[in-house]
Amino acid sequence: MKRHSATWATIVLVAIALGCATFSWSSQGAATATVPVNILVSVEAKHGKEIPVIHREDVRVFHDKNRLQVTDWLPLQGEQAGLELFLLIDDSTDTSLGLQLDDLKKFIAGQPETTAIAVGYIRNGTVNTAQSFTKDHSLAAKALRLPLGDAGGIASPYLAITDLIDHWPQSGNRHEIFLISSGIDALQPGPDNSYLDQTIEHAQRAGVQVYSIYASRTGHLGHSFWRFNWGQNNLSRLADETGADAYFQGLEMPISFAPYLDEFARRLKNQYRLTFLAKPQKEPGFQRIRLETEVSNAELVAVERVYVPGTK
């Protein structure tokens, strides 16, 4: 009888131990669960124009002080070079933009056949598409025209960009916008701009980079120093927080777009899709990250905030 009691006691203890081990493993598994996050990264040279070659083992990703696991580093070249580029012109831009149309046409003609280009105009807070995405670059070039100036309407260009991003069909290609605008928001011209905040958030969630080049606005708004100063600040922030770049030549429209378009084209040729594992919280939200590399003369340019789905 005592032997049977001892046997049952042993069985109970083993079951409890196994249960605790299972609970511990499950808790640890839940605590260390991760989700893959993809972002677009551009590689630049800190000095000169020779772009260093970067391999997956050269890239480090951190969230706070925690290093995250990099699972893929895909060069977007050859068969992986697919790009959907939306050339977006603010219709409130001064008509002197006409002097830059030849540079824009040359840029369009020089893009590889893997790039689909669309052309649209911001007017009254919406995007009027003049040419939908096409790999026939001559069609995209033909869609270019002079901006309407004052006829562009009084609205926020950022409302239009947000709407464009939200209605962009999903695909495995890169999604990038090249914006030509003063950046002036007639509805919220100061330092606090909820429309700009919204655009940045939607772009970060969708993985859309928004490059821009400053172009003077027509009319009185385009001659108000504090307005076009904030306009340039808006463009710079939009580019920086989406992993892109904004191009300026002082406070005036550049004499020639060509040097900036050439720089933009180089960026497009040196991009990678980075995949890393992030630890989700209960609620979905944004997490700040930073990228590092020890490769000499190399700089990794990307968003500093990524959207991570929740565990619920």
Side-chain angles (χ1 to χ4, degrees):
M1 189 69 175
K2 290 182 179 179
R3 182 180 300 174
H4 289 169
S5 299
T7 301
W8 279 109
T10 301
I11 292 173
V12 170
L13 289 174
V14 171
I16 292 174
L18 288 174
C20 291
T22 301
F23 175 78
S24 175
W25 181 88
S26 299
S27 300
Q28 184 179 7
T32 58
T34 56
V35 294
V37 175
N38 297 297
I39 63 172
L40 191 60
V41 181
S42 300
V43 177
E44 289 187 338
K46 293 181 179 179
H47 309 286
K49 295 183 179 180
E50 188 69 27
I51 308 297
V53 176
I54 305 293
H55 301 287
R56 189 177 76 174
E57 58 271 20
D58 300 322
V59 181
R60 297 193 296 269
V61 184
F62 294 88
H63 170 55
D64 294 331
K65 295 181 179 180
N66 300 317
R67 183 172 176 178
L68 307 181
Q69 181 182 353
V70 173
T71 60
D72 199 14
W73 175 252
L74 180 67
L76 299 177
Q77 301 172 0
E79 295 181 354
Q80 305 296 330
L83 168 64
E84 295 172 19
L85 174 62
F86 205 110
L87 182 58
L88 188 58
I89 300 173
D90 194 332
D91 244 342
S92 66
T93 300
D94 191 89
T95 54
S96 60
L97 179 67
L99 298 174
Q100 312 295 339
L101 293 185
D102 283 343
D103 285 347
L104 289 170
K105 290 178 180 178
K106 290 178 182 177
F107 167 78
I108 291 173
Q111 296 314 295
E113 59 183 13
T114 51
T115 298
I117 300 177
V119 177
Y121 292 82
I122 295 176
R123 187 179 184 191
N124 293 321
T126 61
V127 174
N128 295 319
T129 302
Q131 173 60 57
S132 57
F133 283 109
T134 177
K135 292 183 179 179
D136 185 341
H137 297 160
S138 63
L139 290 178
K142 288 179 182 177
L144 293 173
R145 60 163 173 78
L146 290 177
L148 299 179
D150 284 333
I154 302 298
S156 171
Y158 306 108
L159 288 173
I161 298 171
T162 299
D163 185 65
L164 172 62
I165 292 171
D166 288 348
H167 289 90
W168 203 318
Q170 292 186 353
S171 71
N173 297 324
R174 287 171 286 172
H175 290 179
E176 308 198 33
I177 295 172
F178 190 86
L179 171 67
I180 299 172
S181 173
S182 67
I184 294 173
D185 188 336
L187 300 182
Q188 296 189 43
D192 298 319
N193 191 316
S194 62
Y195 299 139
L196 175 60
D197 294 340
Q198 185 181 48
T199 299
I200 291 171
E201 180 175 329
H202 284 237
Q204 289 175 337
R205 287 191 62 167
V208 177
Q209 294 188 336
V210 186
Y211 291 80
S212 63
I213 189 166
Y214 176 77
S216 305
R217 184 186 176 110
T218 191
H220 173 71
L221 294 183
H223 297 91
S224 173
F225 177 81
W226 75 275
R227 285 182 183 271
F228 61 68
N229 183 56
W230 275 112
Q232 290 194 344
N233 287 337
N234 290 341
L235 295 178
S236 180
R237 183 179 164 219
L238 176 60
D240 186 63
E241 296 195 28
T242 61
D245 206 350
Y247 304 110
F248 307 100
Q249 189 176 54
L251 299 176
E252 302 290 337
M253 187 185 303
I255 297 174
S256 171
F257 279 10
Y260 305 102
L261 293 171
D262 289 344
E263 184 177 339
F264 176 50
R266 284 194 296 272
R267 285 285 291 267
L268 296 178
K269 293 177 181 178
N270 293 278
Q271 293 185 324
Y272 297 76
R273 192 173 304 282
L274 168 66
T275 304
F276 60 91
L277 300 180
K279 182 179 177 181
Q281 304 299 316
K282 289 184 178 180
E283 299 292 337
F286 288 95
Q287 296 183 13
R288 289 206 167 271
I289 62 167
R290 74 178 188 278
L291 306 185
E292 293 182 359
T293 182
E294 292 184 351
V295 175
S296 177
N297 200 38
E299 185 172 6
L300 306 181
V301 182
V303 293
E304 297 179 355
R305 199 176 73 146
V306 296
Y307 181 79
V308 180
T311 57
K312 286 187 177 180

